[in-house]
Amino acid sequence: MPKITLKEILEDANSRKYAVGAFNVVDSHFLEAIVKTAEECSSPVILNIAEVHFPYFNISALSAMIQKRIEQSIIPITLNLDHGLTMENIKIALDCGFSSIMYDGSHLEFEKNIEQTRIVVELCKSYNVSVESELGAVGGAEGGELVGEADPLKYTDIEQAKIFVKETGVDALAVAIGNSHGKYKGEPKLDFDRLKTLNSELGIPLVLHGGSGISEDDFKKAIKFGISKINFFTGMSQAALQTAKEFFDGTQEKYNNYLLMNQKIEKSIKDIVIEQMNIFGSIGRV
Ligand SMILES: [Zn+2]
């Protein structure tokens, strides 16, 4: 199936009140685990590649492999640049065939964020690619510390968000409502009233970043109040590491241990992806 844009994949999620998981791909094992699970579960899925992960792989080779896998697949898939920070890398992603760009100008002053996001939207339009952006500051940092927390002063402002969406024409907006990247320090408390208002005022799908520390109930509530895309990485990365550790504790050396370990890692990622898709309500939606 050809890949589809973020706008297209979120339309159905938004109208039928479920969320599409956006899972980060860092190698062929993550890719296979995520896509296989989505296929087995008849779930739409978003594959994220984060700009901060670019130094860890060859981006054009990895995206060529992903494109191939998407073509072979039987489910709708969006290939999204996660936290695009520089025009240089956004252009690389567009040339590598991404169908969605998340541009993160949330660290900029409000006016500057509008200006930069507009430039990205214009550029992406010429590629027929969707744009997600972020307003307010989600706690922690993408690719930063393992443990983060949210700062209420940086939650998405409702009036600013209305202006931002109107002036930039983005297809989806990542909101800061008490969520945080990485593992949350303590229990996150999401500001559902703010989310409800953002949802009714903005009229575009909303995105929750930092999905690894949020409870099942809170996810479900967030989806009910307008979240259509949920980013998820830390939980998968931790599961993979834990599996590798257990594999090497007490195993005898064999020539194919590395391959066996990767097989187990893939299985552990699959397990966690199924769990999340179940919570997000995306299973059986294809
Ligand atoms: Zn993020």
Side-chain angles (χ1 to χ4, degrees), residues 5-194:
T5 66
L6 187 70
K7 191 182 159 101
E8 290 166 322
I9 209 165
L10 294 188
E11 232 157 41
D12 187 63
N14 201 29
S15 67
R16 291 162 78 197
K17 291 267 174 251
Y18 65 92
V20 185
F23 300 96
N24 285 77
V25 174
V26 295
D27 61 23
S28 63
H29 302 291
F30 273 70
L31 172 66
E32 202 47 40
I34 297 162
V35 175
K36 212 35 172 312
T37 306
E39 287 176 334
E40 285 167 7
C41 294
S42 295
S43 167
V45 74
I46 298 162
L47 301 175
N48 266 350
I49 294 190
E51 183 176 319
V52 288
H53 291 163
F54 279 17
Y56 299 99
F57 40 68
N58 176 325
I59 181 64
S60 68
L62 180 63
S63 38
M65 181 170 69
I66 295 176
Q67 309 260 35
K68 195 77 202 157
R69 187 62 183 87
I70 292 176
E71 280 166 30
Q72 292 170 348
S73 178
I74 48 170
I75 49 156
I77 302 178
T78 296
L79 178 54
N80 176 53
L81 176 68
D82 187 24
H83 287 274
L85 299 163
T86 61
M87 282 309 274
E88 189 195 345
N89 283 324
I90 287 171
K91 282 179 187 156
I92 288 175
L94 288 169
D95 289 332
C96 285
F98 282 56
S99 59
S100 169
I101 299 289
M102 188 267 174
Y103 169 65
D104 183 359
S106 63
H107 54 286
L108 301 170
E109 290 292 322
F110 182 58
E111 291 298 333
K112 193 79 191 154
N113 190 1
I114 290 183
E115 195 184 305
Q116 287 300 314
T117 305
R118 241 195 209 152
I119 296 172
V120 175
V121 170
E122 274 311 305
L123 176 68
C124 289
K125 251 191 205 154
S126 62
Y127 284 80
N128 192 25
V129 162
S130 304
V131 177
E132 170 193 338
S133 60
E134 180 172 316
L135 193 62
V138 174
E142 187 73 27
E145 295 292 316
L146 182 61
V147 178
E149 66 189 316
D151 176 358
L153 291 172
K154 294 177 183 163
Y155 287 3
T156 307
D157 181 85
I158 291 153
E159 289 311 311
Q160 277 194 347
K162 277 156 68 177
I163 298 169
F164 185 87
V165 167
K166 200 166 152 239
E167 302 232 326
T168 59
V170 291
D171 301 293
L173 185 71
V175 292
I177 52 163
N179 43 318
S180 175
H181 290 112
K183 244 169 64 176
Y184 202 90
K185 192 175 164 189
E187 275 278 298
K189 278 200 179 55
L190 300 184
D191 186 346
F192 289 111
D193 286 335
R194 185 179 301 262

